[in-house]
Amino acid sequence: MVRLDKFLVDAGIGTRSEVKKYIKKKQVKVNGSSNVSPEQKIDEEKDSVCYLGEEISYEKYAYYLFHKPAGCVTAKTDKTERTVMDYFPEQMRRKFSPVGRLDKDTEGLLIITNDGAFHHRLVSPAYHVPKTYEAVLDKPVPAEAVTLFQEGVDIGDEKKTLPAELTIFPPEDKDGKEQCRAQLVITEGRYHQVKRMFLAVGCTVTYLKRVSIGSLSLQNLPKGEYRRLTEQEVEDLRKISSEKKSI
């Protein structure tokens, strides 16, 4: 059971003060009746709630895929910088948060949710959730880095990184300059980890983009846009983060 005003806020109808106004104006009906109050208890599975004639569905948790552009920080709020949550409606910013983080200059896939347990499993190294990055480097990555990354890299932390899968692509010509590219799959998320791993083999990352988490990918989602995850996508992410592995 949940209060009617909370039900409406969680459904994205408006802020707490806004939905109280809608209720007062008789714009909200419960089981066909507009004689309702903000504190009225709602059975999420049995009661029918309508706003302006449209039935509202209630979900305790929601999950979004966001294509983070460069130039914004991965945080709920920031006094000086634009955050990833600034791309979402105001009523979502208080309860939703990004899963993990991407650096300000890093682009790509970011999951936004209000499910704390789901959040924890995706970011915890104990669950070994694979995250795939595409990087542009200032120089060719040495071939021996493939084996080194598989064994774990010393990036200055107490422990080496967990085994990672590195793919080195042939250099490409872009605007008359040779562009060195690579793809890296890691299963943890240490501070600046990808950049520090490449730095350990003498390469500086000049561009970085996360393209997938598990089987979830950006596909054709434009930068700065977001969409809800499908039930199957959420279930797939739950499966790959359901069992702890030894570290």
Side-chain angles (χ1 to χ4, degrees), residues 75-91:
K76 292 188 68 169
T77 60
D78 192 278
K79 293 182 179 180
T80 59
E81 304 280 359
R82 187 177 192 185
T83 76
V84 294
M85 293 310 301
D86 288 333
Y87 288 83
F88 289 79
E90 184 178 355
Q91 62 266 26

Side-chain angles (χ1 to χ4, degrees), residues 129-217:
V129 177
K131 305 168 185 70
T132 304
Y133 294 80
E134 291 182 352
V136 176
L137 297 310
D138 66 336
K139 63 185 69 171
V141 180
E144 58 268 25
V146 174
T147 301
L148 180 64
F149 282 20
Q150 286 176 341
E151 297 173 347
V153 186
D154 182 356
I155 59 174
D157 292 342
E158 184 178 343
K159 295 182 179 180
K160 289 184 177 181
T161 63
L162 293 176
E165 181 182 339
L166 173 65
T167 302
I168 303 172
F169 299 115
E172 295 181 351
D173 182 80
K174 187 171 184 179
D175 299 327
K177 294 183 179 180
E178 185 178 76
Q179 187 180 79
C180 304
R181 299 169 51 248
Q183 178 179 282
L184 182 62
V185 182
I186 62 175
T187 56
E188 51 186 341
R190 303 188 196 183
Y191 182 68
H192 294 325
Q193 180 173 342
V194 173
K195 295 175 181 177
R196 293 163 68 197
M197 289 178 72
F198 281 112
L199 197 59
V201 294
C203 299
T204 299
V205 174
T206 60
Y207 171 80
L208 188 61
K209 181 176 184 178
R210 182 160 66 191
V211 295
S212 68
I213 296 178
S215 60
L216 181 66
S217 65

Side-chain angles (χ1 to χ4, degrees), residues 31-192:
N31 299 326
S33 173
S34 59
N35 185 26
V36 294
S37 62
E39 63 273 11
Q40 179 173 333
K41 294 293 185 177
I42 299 296
D43 186 323
E44 303 97 303
E45 296 182 358
K46 296 181 179 179
D47 290 328
S48 171
V49 180
C50 294
Y51 170 63
L52 296 179
E54 292 190 14
E55 187 160 3
I56 307 301
S57 60
Y58 177 85
E59 292 179 298
K60 185 176 181 180
Y61 298 121
Y63 313 84
Y64 293 86
L65 168 63
F66 175 58
H67 189 163
K68 177 190 177 298
C72 61
V73 297
T74 307
K76 292 188 68 169
T77 60
D78 192 278
K79 293 182 179 180
T80 59
E81 304 280 359
R82 187 177 192 185
T83 76
V84 294
M85 293 310 301
D86 288 333
Y87 288 83
F88 289 79
E90 184 178 355
Q91 62 266 26
M92 286 183 60
R93 298 175 196 168
R94 297 186 299 275
K95 297 185 178 180
F96 285 77
S97 60
V99 177
R101 70 183 304 276
L102 294 176
D103 295 337
K104 182 180 178 180
D105 61 349
T106 300
E107 301 178 355
L109 190 157
L110 196 63
I111 295 173
I112 309 293
T113 185
N114 60 343
D115 186 340
F118 180 84
H119 181 145
H120 169 71
R121 288 179 179 236
L122 285 183
V123 300
S124 172
Y127 294 95
H128 292 205
V129 177
K131 305 168 185 70
T132 304
Y133 294 80
E134 291 182 352
V136 176
L137 297 310
D138 66 336
K139 63 185 69 171
V141 180
E144 58 268 25
V146 174
T147 301
L148 180 64
F149 282 20
Q150 286 176 341
E151 297 173 347
V153 186
D154 182 356
I155 59 174
D157 292 342
E158 184 178 343
K159 295 182 179 180
K160 289 184 177 181
T161 63
L162 293 176
E165 181 182 339
L166 173 65
T167 302
I168 303 172
F169 299 115
E172 295 181 351
D173 182 80
K174 187 171 184 179
D175 299 327
K177 294 183 179 180
E178 185 178 76
Q179 187 180 79
C180 304
R181 299 169 51 248
Q183 178 179 282
L184 182 62
V185 182
I186 62 175
T187 56
E188 51 186 341
R190 303 188 196 183
Y191 182 68
H192 294 325

